[in-house]
Structure formats: structure tokens, C-alpha cells
Amino acid sequence: MPEITISMAAGRTDEQKAGMMRDITQALVKNLGVDADAVVIQINEAPTRAQDEGRQDFVERKAMQNK
């Protein structure tokens, strides 16, 4: 049973996450030959203020990109 853990910043919609999980599941079915029911996917979401890249948290980075 493949188990996939995804870490990402919070903010995606339930529909976006569901679509991503469907696509990942289908890739595992196609490439590993497993049953879709055997695939486990867990999403770990962190608040955007809790993630940092280049000394700016994700909220600050987005604000700078929108200027």
C-alpha cells in the first residue's frame, strides 16, 4: 500500500486538494499497478506565516510579488 505525504502551505481549496489527490492516485495506479483503494495520501498544511523561503514568510513573499 503506497503512502504519500504532502507538505504544503495552507490556502488551497478542498476541490484543488481533491483533484491533486485523484491525479496522484491515478499515477500510482498506472505506474505501480496498485489498486486505487490501496493508496493513502495525507496532506500536511502549514499556515503561510509558518513557512519561510529566502528569509521571507510566504505572506511577505506574495505581497512582494503583487507589487
Side-chain angles (χ1 to χ4, degrees):
M1 151 172 59
E3 295 184 25
I4 307 297
T5 302
I6 299 165
S7 299
M8 64 183 186
R12 274 65 173 210
T13 67
D14 288 342
E15 292 80 18
Q16 289 172 314
K17 292 182 275 189
M20 176 188 64
M21 289 187 284
R22 277 191 303 272
D23 290 348
I24 291 169
T25 299
Q26 288 307 311
L28 294 172
V29 168
K30 176 184 173 186
N31 293 290
L32 300 182
V34 299
D35 290 331
D37 291 340
V39 176
V40 175
I41 300 174
Q42 176 179 321
I43 299 174
N44 296 323
E45 293 182 278
T48 53
R49 287 279 186 202
Q51 290 190 314
D52 181 88
E53 183 178 328
R55 297 183 305 211
Q56 293 178 315
D57 66 40
F58 280 25
V59 173
E60 293 167 335
R61 288 177 58 82
K62 188 170 186 172
M64 293 298 290
Q65 290 171 350
N66 292 334
K67 285 187 174 184

